[in-house]
């Protein structure tokens, strides 16, 4: 498992600073990696490809903990695959983020007292490009801080010329295949962003409103309907009832008066109406409700729009010019004055849609828009997972995916914005409609004009796995790196982005899905499991933690919390703990180098090794196999935890400590152990590198003299196992752990030396007496040795003379006092839990707390009694 360098490495430099300073190391190291081209990908290479795209962050954005989390996982995967000999491409880039970017630039214009209309479309778009050049993309620098090993020379932007050509190409193909069409439908309209948004860009939350019941018509010809949006009644064109509802059978086909308007509207029978809900009658407003629109289509009802794009009432009458919420109150007041209000429920909590970007309440609105006919595309996306061409990990997320793609509605792809890919359709003076591909000439002449809308941002980012590789051109990069090996992304954009990429990839690439595996992760939350948000006051800038603790510490903390598909809690004290781990790696490696640890020469035969050497190499190979299996299953938390405990507990706290005795004794055993320690550090640093790249690079190059661990060979399990050595060292650990625990219980200081007699004959521990005495601070028994405490452990016996170290009488008195307190606590808890009145009245959490106190009291009693039993008689 030694480094397979192409040439003999120079002798390692074993000098390391006394302390690890991430701020001094990380920046220069990263620039060196980039300058040497380690992260670039060669499409001409004969190495097997391994491709991952970055979920393109918005050009308006900056690195948040969610980015840092996701990037850490992707970087770990790609660094490992690079070390395994793959031609690795981690594709970077950014999304133009239509609505978000336009909003940012419009806000900047607003500070100058201008709007985009003052500039005009062409000048405004130029202004956005200027903003992008000056202020956008700061996330690229932050990615470098984190250590992202992306192929920077391939960085793309969704508005690049090549990607724009891809967008125009696929639009044209879909249009020609009649999978894109233009139609007047009800859409989700944001009165703040002034654009349509798709269903998945609507966030629903429970809002307090009012439910009013209104009487339409007079006497026997009257019907009561209930609504939370009274302002829309101005656009009602019918009342609907169920065809089998006998209460209203006499009214079906007749007209009743619509209050406040002077209009008469029909009563229609439609199976959509639930006769058991409310009064069994519903108002029908085809221009302002998706269900009402469908009813209107079935019954040829007119659609009367009563609001403009700002959600201001346009209907003639006293309410014209009022905002929708102002109109709601005014209309209810007017209806109340006419005696039309039958009932009012206030507050009435109900689910209301909001724009995911600006949080404005969505207004359903009838509008002419462009749509993708998703039926055949969604079926293909579902089939690719069902037939195993694409794996979703964790598998339980498949149901969520199928629930979505199997029930997709047609996708509204047009946005009433200026920033984005403009829809490539021209309209002629005589009603002509021409869709223009990238190789087509746009129509010219009087009366011809291009559609003013742009495409939904997710339309272009849905092409990301292949547009970034040069599609529609059949490039070498496309042939080498498509499909992607894996997509790593959050479950929250399974519908926004993943399903779009699946549909477009299968369509554009002749049935080849865009990736083999979809690995879904959860969201980063605070240490209490609460969503991070500026409004909650718990949002964290990851740069602050990287400045304070180092990038490796943040990365390791995030990876250690990354269980597939599960949200990740994180707190600053956890990052501090990871910083301590990085320092432990540094200090232990520095100590090992100072004591001669080396990778030079072949690894000695097992016959020349001590049991300690064989144990650590056996454990090392087991960990290599375990980490490999966990990587393949995307179990980042488990592999990080396995590496943490192996490195800290087994290598640094046990093997390094046990080796000290060997090093001090010198001779061949010491030389063997130095080479074994070098091997263990070499492999351990390589295993840790994908997650904590900076500290491991510094230590590995110092240890081995190699060029870079980034391009080192990933460790392989040699198959070496020595169960006997593992059992022997486990027994040794048991002795040391048990005696340490006893010493601590007796209040002895860690460095305090105690006379002891070790009875190890006939056990596997006999060769380890020197190590046991050194680690436990046990001195020879001497002439006046008196065994005041005897500990039988692992078949051996350790007798200690504590007569000169502790006041036995005082210690017994102290422990007796602690025992009495524990027994009193137990009695009180037992009495409460035996009181039926208390159990009947106390809340569950209070009862649970009392049970916990009882459990702890039992544990304390057992522990204290064991300490008393071990003490000699006073």
């Amino acid at each position: 498992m030694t480094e397979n360098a192409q040439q003999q490495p120079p002798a390692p430099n074993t000098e390391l600073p006394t302390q690890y300073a991430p701020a001094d190391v990380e920046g220069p190291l990263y620039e060196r990696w980039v300058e040497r081209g380690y992260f670039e990908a060669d499409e001409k290479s004969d190495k097997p490809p391994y491709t991952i795209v970055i979920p393109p962050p918005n050009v308006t954005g900056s690195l948040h903990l969610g980015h840092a989390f996701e990037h850490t996982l992707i970087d770990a995967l790609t660094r490992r695959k690079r070390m395994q000999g793959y031609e690795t491409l981690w594709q970077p880039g950014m999304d133009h983020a239509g609505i978000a970017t336009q909003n940012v630039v419009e806000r900047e214009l607003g500070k100058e007292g201008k709007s985009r209309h003052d500039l005009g479309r062409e000048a405004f778009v130029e202004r956005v490009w200027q903003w992008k050049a000056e202020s956008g993309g700061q996330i690229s620098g932050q990615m470098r801080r984190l250590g992202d090993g992306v192929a920077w020379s391939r960085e793309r932007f969704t508005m690049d010329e090549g990607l724009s050509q891809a967008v125009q190409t696929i639009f044209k193909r879909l249009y020609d295949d009649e999978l894109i069409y233009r139609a007047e439908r009800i859409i989700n309209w944001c009165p703040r962003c002034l654009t349509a948004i798709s269903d998945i860009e609507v966030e629903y939350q429970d809002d307090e409103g009012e439910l009013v019941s209104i009487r339409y018509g007079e006497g026997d010809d009257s019907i009561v309907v209930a609504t939370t949006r009274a302002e829309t009644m101005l656009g009602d064109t019918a009342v609907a009832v169920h065809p089998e509802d006998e209460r209203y059978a006499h009214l079906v086909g007749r007209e009743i008066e619509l209050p406040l308007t002077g209009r008469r509207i029909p009563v229609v029978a439609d199976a959509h109406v639930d006769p058991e809900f409310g009064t069994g009658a519903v108002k029908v407003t085809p221009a302002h409700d998706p269900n009402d629109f469908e009813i209107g289509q079935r019954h040829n009802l007119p659609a009367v729009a009563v609001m403009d794009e700002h959600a201001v009432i346009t209907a003639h009458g006293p309410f014209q010019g009022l905002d929708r919420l102002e109109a709601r109150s005014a209309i209810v007041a007017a209806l109340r004055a006419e005696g039309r209000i039958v009932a009012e429920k206030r507050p009435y909590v109900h689910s209301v849609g909001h724009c995911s970007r600006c949080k404005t309440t969505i207004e359903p609105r009838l509008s002419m828009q462009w749509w993708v006919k998703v039926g055949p595309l969604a079926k293909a996306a579902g089939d690719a997972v069902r037939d195993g061409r694409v794996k979703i990990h964790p598998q339980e997320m498949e149901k969520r995916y199928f629930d979505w793609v199997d029930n997709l509605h047609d996708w509204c792809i047009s946005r009433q914005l200026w920033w984005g890919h403009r829809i490539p359709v021209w309209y002629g003076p005589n009603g002509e409609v021409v869709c223009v591909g990238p190789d087509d000439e746009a129509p010219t002449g009087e009366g011809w004009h291009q559609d003013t809308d742009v495409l939904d941002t997710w339309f272009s980012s849905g092409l990301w796995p292949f547009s970034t590789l040069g599609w529609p051109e059949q490039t070498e990069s496309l042939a080498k790196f498509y499909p992607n090996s894996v997509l790593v992304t959050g479950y929250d954009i399974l519908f926004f982005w993943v399903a779009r990429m699946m549909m477009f990839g299968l369509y554009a690439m002749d049935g080849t899905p865009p990736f083999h595996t979809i690995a879904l992760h959860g969201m980063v939350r605070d240490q209490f499991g609460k969503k991070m948000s500026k409004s909650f006051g718990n949002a964290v800038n990851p740069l602050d933690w990287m400045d304070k603790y180092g990038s490796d510490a943040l990365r390791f903390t995030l990876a250690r919390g990354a269980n597939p598909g599960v949200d990740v809690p994180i707190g600053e004290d956890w990052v501090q703990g990871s910083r301590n781990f990085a320092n432990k790696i540094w200090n232990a490696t520095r100590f090992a180098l100072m004591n001669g640890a080396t990778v030079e020469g072949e690894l000695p035969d097992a016959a020349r090794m001590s049991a300690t050497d064989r144990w650590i190499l056996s454990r090392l190979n087991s960990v290599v196999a375990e980490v490999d299996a966990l990587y393949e299953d995307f179990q980042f938390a488990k592999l990080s935890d396995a590496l943490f405990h192996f490195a800290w507990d087994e290598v640094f706290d046990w093997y390094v400590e046990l080796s000290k005795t060997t090093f001090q004794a010198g001779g061949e055993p010491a030389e063997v152990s130095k080479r074994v320690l070098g091997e263990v550090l070499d492999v351990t640093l390589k295993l840790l590198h994908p997650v904590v790249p900076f500290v491991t690079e510094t230590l590995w190059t110092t240890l081995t003299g190699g060029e870079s661990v980034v391009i080192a060979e990933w460790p392989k399990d040699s198959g070496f196992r020595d169960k006997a050595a593992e059992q022997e060292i486990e027994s040794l650990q048991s002795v040391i752990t048990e005696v340490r625990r006893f010493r601590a219980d007796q209040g002895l200081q860690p460095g305090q030396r105690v006379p002891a007699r070790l009875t190890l004959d006939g056990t596997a521990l006999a060769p380890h007496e020197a190590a046991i005495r050194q680690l436990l601070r046990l001195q020879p028994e001497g002439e006046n040795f008196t065994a005041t405490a005897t500990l039988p452990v692992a078949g051996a016996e350790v007798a200690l003379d504590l007569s000169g170290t502790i006041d036995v009488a005082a210690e017994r008195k102290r422990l007796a006092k602690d025992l009495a307190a524990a027994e009193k606590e137990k009695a009180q808890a037992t009495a409460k839990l035996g009181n039926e009145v208390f159990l009947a009245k106390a809340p569950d959490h209070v009862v649970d707390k009392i049970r916990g106190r009882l459990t702890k009291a039992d544990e304390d009693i057992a522990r204290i009694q064991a300490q008393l039993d071990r003490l000699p008689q006073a």
Side-chain angles (χ1 to χ4, degrees), residues 220-221 223 241-254 267-269 280:
D220 293 339
D221 290 347
I223 294 182
V241 298
H242 193 274
E244 298 177 3
D245 193 333
E246 295 182 358
R247 292 173 296 176
Y248 305 116
H250 67 290
L251 289 177
V252 173
R254 294 171 59 185
V267 178
V268 299

Side-chain angles (χ1 to χ4, degrees), residues 555-581:
R555 289 171 62 116
F556 192 73
T557 305
L558 291 165
R560 205 173 177 192
N563 290 297
V566 179
D567 288 347
V568 182
I570 184 172
E572 184 171 1
D573 55 335
W574 303 344
V575 185
Q576 184 175 353
S578 295
R579 187 272 314 273
N580 295 343
F581 179 51

Side-chain angles (χ1 to χ4, degrees), residues 849-863:
K849 186 175 180 180
I850 299 298
R851 289 195 179 108
R853 285 171 51 191
L854 178 59
T855 299
K856 186 178 184 304
D858 282 333
E859 292 171 351
D860 289 345
I861 290 169
R863 175 178 55 79

